[in-house]
Amino acid sequence: MNTTTASLSEKGHSLAGMRILVCGKGGSGKSTISALLAAMLLRRNYEVLVIDGDVSNPEGLIRLLFGTGVEGEPEPLVEFFGGLDVVTCPVDDPSPLTRVGDSVPLAEKKIDVEEEIPPQFIRQRGRMRFLQVGKISTYGQGCDGPLEKVVRDFIASGDAVSIIDMKAGVEHFGRGIPHSLDIVLGVLDYTLESVSIARRMAEFCHQAGIENYWLILNKIGSDEIESMILDKLGDLHHRVIGPIHFDQNLIKLGLTGASLEAYRSVEEFEHIAEQLEDRVSGIGRRK
Ligand SMILES: Nc1ncnc2c1ncn2[C@@H]1O[C@H](COP(=O)(O)OP(=O)(O)OP(=O)(O)O)[C@@H](O)[C@H]1O
Ligand SMILES: [Mg+2]
C-alpha cells in the first residue's frame, strides 16, 4: 500500500484503490447506480475512475456522468491494447493482455492512467476520469469476449476507485471476468428475475472467492415491496446495503441528458456509500 492509500484509508476511505463491478438484470439501474456512486464518492473526496464495460449500450453512462455538454465518447480502450485483431476472447485464450509495443503481459502490472493512457482514451472532470472498453459497432464483429478481457485486465494503479458498469446478465461471470475484482455490486429491481440473478451471482462470487458481494434494491416504490424483495432474497438479505426509491425525476434526467451529480438522489445514496465503506472495511481487500 502506498502512502497516499494509507492516509486515505486512515480517514475511513476503505474503498480507495478498489475495483467495483456493477452488475445485474437488464434495466435494473446499473448505469444509474454507477453514476450515483461516482457522484457520491467524489463528494467523499475519492478519486474516481468510471469504466463503461457495457459493450452494447451507447452513450447513456457518459451523459449521466457529464451531462450533454461532453464532446462524445472517448476512444475505446481495446484500441490501446491493439484492437480486436490482437485482443483475444478470455475463454479461448485466458492469457493476459499486453500493451502495444510491450512484450511483457500485463499480469500483475497496474497501469498509471494519468501517465500511460493517451488523452484520447479519457474524458476527465476534476477527480473523475471516464474510460470505455469498446462497443459492438459493426455487423458480424464477433464475440464481445475481447472487450470483456479489457475489463478483466485493465487495472489502474493508485487510489482511484474503479467503478465498472457492466452489460446486463451474467455472461461475464461465465467468462471468469470478475476474478480480478475486489467488489461486486449487484443491482436488483422489484422483480423475481432480479432475485434469481442475485442468487446466481452470489454463487459465482463464492466460486471466484469474492467476499465483497453487496446488493442494492432499486426502483423501490413502497416499504411493502422492499420487504417482499428482502423476504424473497432469504439468507442473501444481509448483503443488501440499501434501497433506492422509485423516482420519476431519475427517468426525466435520463431523457433530458442532465448529469446526475447535482441530483438529490445523490443524498439518498449517501447512506448506501457509507454502508459500502463499512461492509468493505469489515472484510478488507481481496487477498
Ligand atoms: N430509482 C429509480 N427510479 C425510477 N427510475 C429509475 C431508477 N433507477 C433507474 N431508473 C430508470 O430506469 C431505466 C434503466 O436504468 P439504467 O439505464 O440505469 O439501467 P441499466 O441496468 O444500466 O440498464 P441496461 O441493462 O440496459 O444497461 C432508466 O430510464 C433510468 O432512468
Ligand atoms: Mg446500463
PDB file of all heavy atoms in Angstrom, residues 59-95:
ATOM      1  N   GLU A  59     -23.579   5.550 -25.116  1.00  0.00           N
ATOM      2  CA  GLU A  59     -23.715   6.934 -24.612  1.00  0.00           C
ATOM      3  C   GLU A  59     -24.395   7.162 -23.264  1.00  0.00           C
ATOM      4  O   GLU A  59     -24.162   8.175 -22.629  1.00  0.00           O
ATOM      5  CB  GLU A  59     -24.459   7.817 -25.644  1.00  0.00           C
ATOM      6  CG  GLU A  59     -23.650   8.044 -26.879  1.00  0.00           C
ATOM      7  CD  GLU A  59     -24.487   8.548 -28.036  1.00  0.00           C
ATOM      8  OE1 GLU A  59     -25.589   9.057 -27.818  1.00  0.00           O
ATOM      9  OE2 GLU A  59     -24.029   8.405 -29.176  1.00  0.00           O
ATOM     10  N   GLY A  60     -25.237   6.238 -22.814  1.00  0.00           N
ATOM     11  CA  GLY A  60     -26.044   6.517 -21.626  1.00  0.00           C
ATOM     12  C   GLY A  60     -25.212   6.913 -20.418  1.00  0.00           C
ATOM     13  O   GLY A  60     -25.500   7.912 -19.751  1.00  0.00           O
ATOM     14  N   LEU A  61     -24.186   6.136 -20.142  1.00  0.00           N
ATOM     15  CA  LEU A  61     -23.429   6.367 -18.908  1.00  0.00           C
ATOM     16  C   LEU A  61     -22.696   7.700 -18.933  1.00  0.00           C
ATOM     17  O   LEU A  61     -22.718   8.449 -17.961  1.00  0.00           O
ATOM     18  CB  LEU A  61     -22.440   5.212 -18.686  1.00  0.00           C
ATOM     19  CG  LEU A  61     -21.613   5.303 -17.415  1.00  0.00           C
ATOM     20  CD1 LEU A  61     -22.490   5.349 -16.172  1.00  0.00           C
ATOM     21  CD2 LEU A  61     -20.652   4.125 -17.323  1.00  0.00           C
ATOM     22  N   ILE A  62     -22.072   8.015 -20.058  1.00  0.00           N
ATOM     23  CA  ILE A  62     -21.305   9.267 -20.122  1.00  0.00           C
ATOM     24  C   ILE A  62     -22.225  10.475 -19.916  1.00  0.00           C
ATOM     25  O   ILE A  62     -21.860  11.454 -19.275  1.00  0.00           O
ATOM     26  CB  ILE A  62     -20.490   9.362 -21.438  1.00  0.00           C
ATOM     27  CG1 ILE A  62     -19.455  10.497 -21.325  1.00  0.00           C
ATOM     28  CG2 ILE A  62     -21.358   9.535 -22.663  1.00  0.00           C
ATOM     29  CD1 ILE A  62     -18.432  10.503 -22.435  1.00  0.00           C
ATOM     30  N   ARG A  63     -23.477  10.394 -20.408  1.00  0.00           N
ATOM     31  CA  ARG A  63     -24.422  11.507 -20.205  1.00  0.00           C
ATOM     32  C   ARG A  63     -24.771  11.671 -18.729  1.00  0.00           C
ATOM     33  O   ARG A  63     -24.844  12.776 -18.214  1.00  0.00           O
ATOM     34  CB  ARG A  63     -25.708  11.262 -20.998  1.00  0.00           C
ATOM     35  CG  ARG A  63     -25.785  12.043 -22.285  1.00  0.00           C
ATOM     36  CD  ARG A  63     -27.210  12.141 -22.794  1.00  0.00           C
ATOM     37  NE  ARG A  63     -28.009  10.961 -22.576  1.00  0.00           N
ATOM     38  CZ  ARG A  63     -28.135   9.956 -23.444  1.00  0.00           C
ATOM     39  NH1 ARG A  63     -27.511  10.009 -24.590  1.00  0.00           N
ATOM     40  NH2 ARG A  63     -28.900   8.919 -23.173  1.00  0.00           N
ATOM     41  N   LEU A  64     -24.974  10.534 -18.049  1.00  0.00           N
ATOM     42  CA  LEU A  64     -25.310  10.617 -16.625  1.00  0.00           C
ATOM     43  C   LEU A  64     -24.155  11.199 -15.810  1.00  0.00           C
ATOM     44  O   LEU A  64     -24.349  11.822 -14.771  1.00  0.00           O
ATOM     45  CB  LEU A  64     -25.664   9.226 -16.076  1.00  0.00           C
ATOM     46  CG  LEU A  64     -26.956   8.595 -16.598  1.00  0.00           C
ATOM     47  CD1 LEU A  64     -27.052   7.131 -16.162  1.00  0.00           C
ATOM     48  CD2 LEU A  64     -28.171   9.360 -16.095  1.00  0.00           C
ATOM     49  N   LEU A  65     -22.939  10.992 -16.301  1.00  0.00           N
ATOM     50  CA  LEU A  65     -21.766  11.469 -15.558  1.00  0.00           C
ATOM     51  C   LEU A  65     -21.409  12.914 -15.878  1.00  0.00           C
ATOM     52  O   LEU A  65     -20.991  13.657 -15.007  1.00  0.00           O
ATOM     53  CB  LEU A  65     -20.547  10.595 -15.883  1.00  0.00           C
ATOM     54  CG  LEU A  65     -20.605   9.158 -15.374  1.00  0.00           C
ATOM     55  CD1 LEU A  65     -19.535   8.332 -16.050  1.00  0.00           C
ATOM     56  CD2 LEU A  65     -20.422   9.111 -13.872  1.00  0.00           C
ATOM     57  N   PHE A  66     -21.550  13.286 -17.142  1.00  0.00           N
ATOM     58  CA  PHE A  66     -21.060  14.603 -17.571  1.00  0.00           C
ATOM     59  C   PHE A  66     -22.161  15.532 -18.060  1.00  0.00           C
ATOM     60  O   PHE A  66     -21.885  16.685 -18.339  1.00  0.00           O
ATOM     61  CB  PHE A  66     -20.040  14.438 -18.718  1.00  0.00           C
ATOM     62  CG  PHE A  66     -18.755  13.774 -18.302  1.00  0.00           C
ATOM     63  CD1 PHE A  66     -18.629  12.397 -18.295  1.00  0.00           C
ATOM     64  CD2 PHE A  66     -17.654  14.535 -17.922  1.00  0.00           C
ATOM     65  CE1 PHE A  66     -17.431  11.783 -17.920  1.00  0.00           C
ATOM     66  CE2 PHE A  66     -16.458  13.942 -17.551  1.00  0.00           C
ATOM     67  CZ  PHE A  66     -16.351  12.564 -17.547  1.00  0.00           C
ATOM     68  N   GLY A  67     -23.386  15.023 -18.224  1.00  0.00           N
ATOM     69  CA  GLY A  67     -24.412  15.834 -18.858  1.00  0.00           C
ATOM     70  C   GLY A  67     -24.215  15.830 -20.365  1.00  0.00           C
ATOM     71  O   GLY A  67     -23.318  15.161 -20.883  1.00  0.00           O
ATOM     72  N   THR A  68     -25.027  16.609 -21.063  1.00  0.00           N
ATOM     73  CA  THR A  68     -24.969  16.560 -22.531  1.00  0.00           C
ATOM     74  C   THR A  68     -23.816  17.371 -23.129  1.00  0.00           C
ATOM     75  O   THR A  68     -23.531  17.257 -24.297  1.00  0.00           O
ATOM     76  CB  THR A  68     -26.282  17.076 -23.162  1.00  0.00           C
ATOM     77  OG1 THR A  68     -26.780  18.112 -22.344  1.00  0.00           O
ATOM     78  CG2 THR A  68     -27.309  15.990 -23.297  1.00  0.00           C
ATOM     79  N   GLY A  69     -23.148  18.195 -22.327  1.00  0.00           N
ATOM     80  CA  GLY A  69     -22.112  19.074 -22.877  1.00  0.00           C
ATOM     81  C   GLY A  69     -20.844  18.379 -23.323  1.00  0.00           C
ATOM     82  O   GLY A  69     -20.053  18.929 -24.064  1.00  0.00           O
ATOM     83  N   VAL A  70     -20.664  17.128 -22.927  1.00  0.00           N
ATOM     84  CA  VAL A  70     -19.371  16.477 -23.173  1.00  0.00           C
ATOM     85  C   VAL A  70     -19.195  16.146 -24.658  1.00  0.00           C
ATOM     86  O   VAL A  70     -20.158  15.820 -25.356  1.00  0.00           O
ATOM     87  CB  VAL A  70     -19.229  15.215 -22.286  1.00  0.00           C
ATOM     88  CG1 VAL A  70     -20.140  14.123 -22.753  1.00  0.00           C
ATOM     89  CG2 VAL A  70     -17.799  14.747 -22.234  1.00  0.00           C
ATOM     90  N   GLU A  71     -17.948  16.250 -25.130  1.00  0.00           N
ATOM     91  CA  GLU A  71     -17.709  16.112 -26.570  1.00  0.00           C
ATOM     92  C   GLU A  71     -17.516  14.643 -26.986  1.00  0.00           C
ATOM     93  O   GLU A  71     -16.447  14.239 -27.415  1.00  0.00           O
ATOM     94  CB  GLU A  71     -16.521  16.986 -27.006  1.00  0.00           C
ATOM     95  CG  GLU A  71     -15.146  16.553 -26.607  1.00  0.00           C
ATOM     96  CD  GLU A  71     -14.745  16.864 -25.171  1.00  0.00           C
ATOM     97  OE1 GLU A  71     -15.608  17.065 -24.297  1.00  0.00           O
ATOM     98  OE2 GLU A  71     -13.553  16.862 -24.905  1.00  0.00           O
ATOM     99  N   GLY A  72     -18.555  13.835 -26.842  1.00  0.00           N
ATOM    100  CA  GLY A  72     -18.534  12.459 -27.342  1.00  0.00           C
ATOM    101  C   GLY A  72     -17.783  11.494 -26.454  1.00  0.00           C
ATOM    102  O   GLY A  72     -17.156  11.864 -25.470  1.00  0.00           O
ATOM    103  N   GLU A  73     -17.876  10.216 -26.820  1.00  0.00           N
ATOM    104  CA  GLU A  73     -17.243   9.156 -26.034  1.00  0.00           C
ATOM    105  C   GLU A  73     -15.732   9.181 -26.264  1.00  0.00           C
ATOM    106  O   GLU A  73     -15.278   9.538 -27.352  1.00  0.00           O
ATOM    107  CB  GLU A  73     -17.783   7.797 -26.505  1.00  0.00           C
ATOM    108  CG  GLU A  73     -19.289   7.679 -26.394  1.00  0.00           C
ATOM    109  CD  GLU A  73     -19.723   6.611 -25.411  1.00  0.00           C
ATOM    110  OE1 GLU A  73     -18.886   6.093 -24.661  1.00  0.00           O
ATOM    111  OE2 GLU A  73     -20.916   6.305 -25.408  1.00  0.00           O
ATOM    112  N   PRO A  74     -14.956   8.755 -25.281  1.00  0.00           N
ATOM    113  CA  PRO A  74     -13.520   8.608 -25.527  1.00  0.00           C
ATOM    114  C   PRO A  74     -13.264   7.417 -26.446  1.00  0.00           C
ATOM    115  O   PRO A  74     -14.143   6.576 -26.641  1.00  0.00           O
ATOM    116  CB  PRO A  74     -12.958   8.342 -24.121  1.00  0.00           C
ATOM    117  CG  PRO A  74     -14.100   7.802 -23.333  1.00  0.00           C
ATOM    118  CD  PRO A  74     -15.355   8.370 -23.920  1.00  0.00           C
ATOM    119  N   GLU A  75     -12.072   7.337 -27.021  1.00  0.00           N
ATOM    120  CA  GLU A  75     -11.732   6.190 -27.869  1.00  0.00           C
ATOM    121  C   GLU A  75     -11.770   4.914 -27.038  1.00  0.00           C
ATOM    122  O   GLU A  75     -11.467   4.933 -25.851  1.00  0.00           O
ATOM    123  CB  GLU A  75     -10.316   6.358 -28.419  1.00  0.00           C
ATOM    124  CG  GLU A  75     -10.143   7.639 -29.167  1.00  0.00           C
ATOM    125  CD  GLU A  75      -9.712   7.428 -30.599  1.00  0.00           C
ATOM    126  OE1 GLU A  75      -8.914   6.519 -30.858  1.00  0.00           O
ATOM    127  OE2 GLU A  75     -10.188   8.204 -31.435  1.00  0.00           O
ATOM    128  N   PRO A  76     -12.137   3.782 -27.668  1.00  0.00           N
ATOM    129  CA  PRO A  76     -12.227   2.541 -26.896  1.00  0.00           C
ATOM    130  C   PRO A  76     -10.863   2.039 -26.417  1.00  0.00           C
ATOM    131  O   PRO A  76      -9.903   2.022 -27.175  1.00  0.00           O
ATOM    132  CB  PRO A  76     -12.838   1.541 -27.877  1.00  0.00           C
ATOM    133  CG  PRO A  76     -12.982   2.225 -29.173  1.00  0.00           C
ATOM    134  CD  PRO A  76     -12.563   3.650 -29.049  1.00  0.00           C
ATOM    135  N   LEU A  77     -10.846   1.620 -25.162  1.00  0.00           N
ATOM    136  CA  LEU A  77      -9.598   1.133 -24.569  1.00  0.00           C
ATOM    137  C   LEU A  77      -9.024  -0.084 -25.288  1.00  0.00           C
ATOM    138  O   LEU A  77      -7.818  -0.317 -25.256  1.00  0.00           O
ATOM    139  CB  LEU A  77      -9.868   0.716 -23.123  1.00  0.00           C
ATOM    140  CG  LEU A  77      -9.603   1.721 -22.017  1.00  0.00           C
ATOM    141  CD1 LEU A  77      -9.895   1.072 -20.692  1.00  0.00           C
ATOM    142  CD2 LEU A  77      -8.168   2.230 -22.075  1.00  0.00           C
ATOM    143  N   VAL A  78      -9.927  -0.874 -25.916  1.00  0.00           N
ATOM    144  CA  VAL A  78      -9.430  -2.063 -26.611  1.00  0.00           C
ATOM    145  C   VAL A  78      -8.384  -1.654 -27.657  1.00  0.00           C
ATOM    146  O   VAL A  78      -7.435  -2.403 -27.926  1.00  0.00           O
ATOM    147  CB  VAL A  78     -10.601  -2.877 -27.219  1.00  0.00           C
ATOM    148  CG1 VAL A  78     -11.249  -2.158 -28.393  1.00  0.00           C
ATOM    149  CG2 VAL A  78     -10.180  -4.280 -27.610  1.00  0.00           C
ATOM    150  N   GLU A  79      -8.517  -0.430 -28.202  1.00  0.00           N
ATOM    151  CA  GLU A  79      -7.548   0.054 -29.194  1.00  0.00           C
ATOM    152  C   GLU A  79      -6.181   0.281 -28.557  1.00  0.00           C
ATOM    153  O   GLU A  79      -5.155   0.112 -29.198  1.00  0.00           O
ATOM    154  CB  GLU A  79      -8.035   1.351 -29.858  1.00  0.00           C
ATOM    155  CG  GLU A  79      -9.344   1.219 -30.622  1.00  0.00           C
ATOM    156  CD  GLU A  79      -9.264   0.198 -31.760  1.00  0.00           C
ATOM    157  OE1 GLU A  79      -8.156   0.018 -32.301  1.00  0.00           O
ATOM    158  OE2 GLU A  79     -10.293  -0.423 -32.065  1.00  0.00           O
ATOM    159  N   PHE A  80      -6.178   0.687 -27.304  1.00  0.00           N
ATOM    160  CA  PHE A  80      -4.914   0.893 -26.588  1.00  0.00           C
ATOM    161  C   PHE A  80      -4.123  -0.420 -26.507  1.00  0.00           C
ATOM    162  O   PHE A  80      -2.901  -0.429 -26.447  1.00  0.00           O
ATOM    163  CB  PHE A  80      -5.205   1.427 -25.174  1.00  0.00           C
ATOM    164  CG  PHE A  80      -3.983   1.604 -24.316  1.00  0.00           C
ATOM    165  CD1 PHE A  80      -3.114   2.659 -24.524  1.00  0.00           C
ATOM    166  CD2 PHE A  80      -3.695   0.709 -23.300  1.00  0.00           C
ATOM    167  CE1 PHE A  80      -1.982   2.834 -23.743  1.00  0.00           C
ATOM    168  CE2 PHE A  80      -2.567   0.864 -22.508  1.00  0.00           C
ATOM    169  CZ  PHE A  80      -1.712   1.934 -22.729  1.00  0.00           C
ATOM    170  N   PHE A  81      -4.859  -1.531 -26.510  1.00  0.00           N
ATOM    171  CA  PHE A  81      -4.211  -2.849 -26.420  1.00  0.00           C
ATOM    172  C   PHE A  81      -4.047  -3.493 -27.799  1.00  0.00           C
ATOM    173  O   PHE A  81      -3.758  -4.676 -27.893  1.00  0.00           O
ATOM    174  CB  PHE A  81      -4.993  -3.760 -25.479  1.00  0.00           C
ATOM    175  CG  PHE A  81      -4.968  -3.281 -24.061  1.00  0.00           C
ATOM    176  CD1 PHE A  81      -6.042  -2.615 -23.510  1.00  0.00           C
ATOM    177  CD2 PHE A  81      -3.833  -3.465 -23.273  1.00  0.00           C
ATOM    178  CE1 PHE A  81      -6.005  -2.153 -22.206  1.00  0.00           C
ATOM    179  CE2 PHE A  81      -3.784  -3.008 -21.966  1.00  0.00           C
ATOM    180  CZ  PHE A  81      -4.877  -2.348 -21.433  1.00  0.00           C
ATOM    181  N   GLY A  82      -4.277  -2.743 -28.863  1.00  0.00           N
ATOM    182  CA  GLY A  82      -4.022  -3.259 -30.206  1.00  0.00           C
ATOM    183  C   GLY A  82      -5.265  -3.548 -31.018  1.00  0.00           C
ATOM    184  O   GLY A  82      -5.173  -3.971 -32.165  1.00  0.00           O
ATOM    185  N   GLY A  83      -6.435  -3.380 -30.404  1.00  0.00           N
ATOM    186  CA  GLY A  83      -7.671  -3.562 -31.160  1.00  0.00           C
ATOM    187  C   GLY A  83      -8.121  -5.014 -31.231  1.00  0.00           C
ATOM    188  O   GLY A  83      -7.464  -5.932 -30.710  1.00  0.00           O
ATOM    189  N   LEU A  84      -9.245  -5.213 -31.913  1.00  0.00           N
ATOM    190  CA  LEU A  84      -9.875  -6.535 -31.928  1.00  0.00           C
ATOM    191  C   LEU A  84      -9.092  -7.575 -32.721  1.00  0.00           C
ATOM    192  O   LEU A  84      -9.335  -8.777 -32.584  1.00  0.00           O
ATOM    193  CB  LEU A  84     -11.313  -6.410 -32.463  1.00  0.00           C
ATOM    194  CG  LEU A  84     -12.277  -5.719 -31.485  1.00  0.00           C
ATOM    195  CD1 LEU A  84     -13.588  -5.384 -32.161  1.00  0.00           C
ATOM    196  CD2 LEU A  84     -12.506  -6.586 -30.251  1.00  0.00           C
ATOM    197  N   ASP A  85      -8.144  -7.133 -33.566  1.00  0.00           N
ATOM    198  CA  ASP A  85      -7.310  -8.117 -34.273  1.00  0.00           C
ATOM    199  C   ASP A  85      -6.296  -8.746 -33.338  1.00  0.00           C
ATOM    200  O   ASP A  85      -5.752  -9.815 -33.609  1.00  0.00           O
ATOM    201  CB  ASP A  85      -6.536  -7.428 -35.417  1.00  0.00           C
ATOM    202  CG  ASP A  85      -7.481  -6.951 -36.500  1.00  0.00           C
ATOM    203  OD1 ASP A  85      -8.608  -7.490 -36.562  1.00  0.00           O
ATOM    204  OD2 ASP A  85      -7.095  -6.038 -37.253  1.00  0.00           O
ATOM    205  N   VAL A  86      -6.025  -8.078 -32.237  1.00  0.00           N
ATOM    206  CA  VAL A  86      -4.963  -8.520 -31.329  1.00  0.00           C
ATOM    207  C   VAL A  86      -5.530  -9.113 -30.038  1.00  0.00           C
ATOM    208  O   VAL A  86      -5.078 -10.146 -29.554  1.00  0.00           O
ATOM    209  CB  VAL A  86      -4.030  -7.316 -30.987  1.00  0.00           C
ATOM    210  CG1 VAL A  86      -3.010  -7.698 -29.927  1.00  0.00           C
ATOM    211  CG2 VAL A  86      -3.364  -6.777 -32.236  1.00  0.00           C
ATOM    212  N   VAL A  87      -6.541  -8.449 -29.485  1.00  0.00           N
ATOM    213  CA  VAL A  87      -7.076  -8.887 -28.183  1.00  0.00           C
ATOM    214  C   VAL A  87      -7.983 -10.100 -28.390  1.00  0.00           C
ATOM    215  O   VAL A  87      -8.855 -10.086 -29.259  1.00  0.00           O
ATOM    216  CB  VAL A  87      -7.853  -7.729 -27.496  1.00  0.00           C
ATOM    217  CG1 VAL A  87      -8.397  -8.181 -26.152  1.00  0.00           C
ATOM    218  CG2 VAL A  87      -6.953  -6.509 -27.325  1.00  0.00           C
ATOM    219  N   THR A  88      -7.750 -11.128 -27.582  1.00  0.00           N
ATOM    220  CA  THR A  88      -8.474 -12.398 -27.767  1.00  0.00           C
ATOM    221  C   THR A  88      -9.584 -12.571 -26.726  1.00  0.00           C
ATOM    222  O   THR A  88      -9.584 -11.909 -25.696  1.00  0.00           O
ATOM    223  CB  THR A  88      -7.487 -13.569 -27.615  1.00  0.00           C
ATOM    224  OG1 THR A  88      -6.751 -13.355 -26.402  1.00  0.00           O
ATOM    225  CG2 THR A  88      -6.535 -13.655 -28.788  1.00  0.00           C
ATOM    226  N   CYS A  89     -10.480 -13.502 -27.008  1.00  0.00           N
ATOM    227  CA  CYS A  89     -11.556 -13.828 -26.066  1.00  0.00           C
ATOM    228  C   CYS A  89     -10.961 -14.570 -24.862  1.00  0.00           C
ATOM    229  O   CYS A  89     -10.158 -15.488 -25.036  1.00  0.00           O
ATOM    230  CB  CYS A  89     -12.599 -14.703 -26.755  1.00  0.00           C
ATOM    231  SG  CYS A  89     -13.843 -15.326 -25.602  1.00  0.00           S
ATOM    232  N   PRO A  90     -11.351 -14.186 -23.647  1.00  0.00           N
ATOM    233  CA  PRO A  90     -10.753 -14.817 -22.461  1.00  0.00           C
ATOM    234  C   PRO A  90     -11.091 -16.302 -22.306  1.00  0.00           C
ATOM    235  O   PRO A  90     -10.389 -17.017 -21.588  1.00  0.00           O
ATOM    236  CB  PRO A  90     -11.323 -14.005 -21.297  1.00  0.00           C
ATOM    237  CG  PRO A  90     -12.506 -13.296 -21.839  1.00  0.00           C
ATOM    238  CD  PRO A  90     -12.299 -13.136 -23.308  1.00  0.00           C
ATOM    239  N   VAL A  91     -12.141 -16.763 -22.989  1.00  0.00           N
ATOM    240  CA  VAL A  91     -12.489 -18.187 -22.885  1.00  0.00           C
ATOM    241  C   VAL A  91     -11.552 -19.005 -23.785  1.00  0.00           C
ATOM    242  O   VAL A  91     -10.981 -20.017 -23.368  1.00  0.00           O
ATOM    243  CB  VAL A  91     -13.965 -18.421 -23.277  1.00  0.00           C
ATOM    244  CG1 VAL A  91     -14.305 -19.904 -23.248  1.00  0.00           C
ATOM    245  CG2 VAL A  91     -14.875 -17.640 -22.344  1.00  0.00           C
ATOM    246  N   ASP A  92     -11.348 -18.521 -25.031  1.00  0.00           N
ATOM    247  CA  ASP A  92     -10.454 -19.234 -25.953  1.00  0.00           C
ATOM    248  C   ASP A  92      -9.004 -19.104 -25.506  1.00  0.00           C
ATOM    249  O   ASP A  92      -8.200 -20.003 -25.695  1.00  0.00           O
ATOM    250  CB  ASP A  92     -10.547 -18.634 -27.372  1.00  0.00           C
ATOM    251  CG  ASP A  92     -11.971 -18.655 -27.891  1.00  0.00           C
ATOM    252  OD1 ASP A  92     -12.744 -19.506 -27.398  1.00  0.00           O
ATOM    253  OD2 ASP A  92     -12.309 -17.818 -28.750  1.00  0.00           O
ATOM    254  N   ASP A  93      -8.673 -17.937 -24.963  1.00  0.00           N
ATOM    255  CA  ASP A  93      -7.280 -17.643 -24.641  1.00  0.00           C
ATOM    256  C   ASP A  93      -7.221 -16.812 -23.355  1.00  0.00           C
ATOM    257  O   ASP A  93      -7.327 -15.591 -23.383  1.00  0.00           O
ATOM    258  CB  ASP A  93      -6.660 -16.849 -25.817  1.00  0.00           C
ATOM    259  CG  ASP A  93      -5.288 -16.293 -25.454  1.00  0.00           C
ATOM    260  OD1 ASP A  93      -4.660 -16.831 -24.518  1.00  0.00           O
ATOM    261  OD2 ASP A  93      -4.863 -15.320 -26.107  1.00  0.00           O
ATOM    262  N   PRO A  94      -7.056 -17.490 -22.205  1.00  0.00           N
ATOM    263  CA  PRO A  94      -7.075 -16.762 -20.935  1.00  0.00           C
ATOM    264  C   PRO A  94      -5.837 -15.901 -20.675  1.00  0.00           C
ATOM    265  O   PRO A  94      -5.786 -15.192 -19.674  1.00  0.00           O
ATOM    266  CB  PRO A  94      -7.167 -17.875 -19.876  1.00  0.00           C
ATOM    267  CG  PRO A  94      -7.192 -19.167 -20.596  1.00  0.00           C
ATOM    268  CD  PRO A  94      -6.927 -18.940 -22.056  1.00  0.00           C
ATOM    269  N   SER A  95      -4.820 -15.967 -21.569  1.00  0.00           N
ATOM    270  CA  SER A  95      -3.584 -15.227 -21.294  1.00  0.00           C
ATOM    271  C   SER A  95      -3.873 -13.730 -21.153  1.00  0.00           C
ATOM    272  O   SER A  95      -4.782 -13.198 -21.782  1.00  0.00           O
ATOM    273  CB  SER A  95      -2.575 -15.438 -22.419  1.00  0.00           C
ATOM    274  OG  SER A  95      -3.068 -14.871 -23.603  1.00  0.00           O
TER     275      SER A  95
END
